[in-house]
Amino acid sequence: MEKYYGGQDFRCGKRIKANFYKCGDKTKYPHWGCWNRIDTPHPDFHRPEFFGDLILG
């Protein structure tokens, strides 16, 4: 992660906000999935208000 975000604090126990998602919008059967629920009418995975807490270990 430091490669992309620089010298951030990634110590054990640190809490960060994130979401994980999968987009299959260009497949035979379009589908989407995410780890933390996103409450919008259409898939919109870049909404920080719907991110969950990750605790680094």
Side-chain angles (χ1 to χ4, degrees):
M1 288 176 55
E2 287 186 35
K3 176 181 175 181
Y4 299 102
Y5 299 106
Q8 299 294 317
D9 180 7
F10 293 120
R11 289 177 291 161
C12 185
K14 174 78 175 178
R15 185 179 301 257
I16 61 175
K17 303 294 267 183
N19 202 356
F20 300 98
Y21 59 91
K22 178 197 185 293
C23 295
D25 52 331
K26 296 180 181 177
T27 63
K28 184 176 180 180
Y29 302 102
H31 61 282
W32 299 266
C34 57
W35 165 66
N36 210 47
R37 183 169 184 224
I38 299 170
D39 192 17
T40 60
H42 303 285
D44 187 354
F45 300 107
H46 302 283
R47 302 276 299 266
E49 65 267 31
F50 298 114
F51 287 7
D53 289 328
L54 293 177
I55 302 170
L56 303 179

